[in-house]
Amino acid sequence: MKLTQKQLASLAKVSTPTVSRFEQAQKDLQLSSMLAILDVLGMTDKRSLVFAEPEYKAESEAVTFFGRDGKARLRCRISREALDDHFSDGGRLRPEAAFKKHRPAIEALARRKYLLDHRELDGSVLIRTGDVV
């Protein structure tokens, strides 16, 4: 970016010696300072996927639910096979009940796939049985 240490420090709102210690990979830096520097350098990921909407739709092959990254709405799905294999409590729960009971864990899986850019061709997230560890 052709920035001097002083310019980078000013943009990151840290001291010039902090930028110097950062460049030398010293271990006595505060996390907030490192993140501020990385942010100025464009090296932080600002994406987040939240699931505030209780909306979901149980279908024969999958349960579809939606998340948001800022204003963008993202379609997420968990396959019926993944629900049956990992969330049905030994076959005692139907897919819809399994989804409701284990929703936080399922949303965490969808969030992880999204942040790792493991998406389908249409941009959606599909959780398959092999994605559950």
Side-chain angles (χ1 to χ4, degrees), residues 48-62:
S48 65
L49 189 60
V50 295
F51 297 94
E53 302 175 36
E55 176 187 348
Y56 67 92
K57 181 179 177 184
E59 303 162 323
S60 61
E61 296 295 317

Side-chain angles (χ1 to χ4, degrees), residues 71-85:
K71 293 183 180 183
R73 189 171 190 235
L74 179 72
R75 182 172 68 115
C76 302
R77 295 178 301 139
I78 181 166
S79 72
R80 170 78 183 260
E81 181 183 22
L83 281 167
D84 290 345
D85 289 349

Side-chain angles (χ1 to χ4, degrees), residues 21-117:
R21 290 194 316 273
F22 176 83
E23 287 181 343
Q24 296 170 20
Q26 292 184 3
K27 296 178 182 175
D28 64 339
L29 289 172
Q30 291 185 358
L31 180 59
S32 60
S33 297
M34 288 190 293
L35 288 173
I37 293 167
L38 291 170
D39 193 37
V40 168
L41 296 174
M43 300 175 73
T44 56
D45 189 346
K46 298 290 186 187
R47 295 175 301 156
S48 65
L49 189 60
V50 295
F51 297 94
E53 302 175 36
E55 176 187 348
Y56 67 92
K57 181 179 177 184
E59 303 162 323
S60 61
E61 296 295 317
V63 171
T64 301
F65 56 107
F66 298 90
R68 288 205 173 272
D69 184 357
K71 293 183 180 183
R73 189 171 190 235
L74 179 72
R75 182 172 68 115
C76 302
R77 295 178 301 139
I78 181 166
S79 72
R80 170 78 183 260
E81 181 183 22
L83 281 167
D84 290 345
D85 289 349
H86 303 285
F87 299 103
S88 69
D89 291 350
R92 293 188 309 268
L93 294 176
R94 291 183 176 205
E96 188 174 342
F99 178 79
K100 283 181 181 179
K101 180 176 180 181
H102 297 284
R103 186 173 180 149
I106 293 167
E107 289 173 347
L109 288 168
R111 187 175 293 110
R112 184 180 77 198
K113 287 194 78 168
Y114 173 69
L115 293 174
L116 291 172
D117 286 325

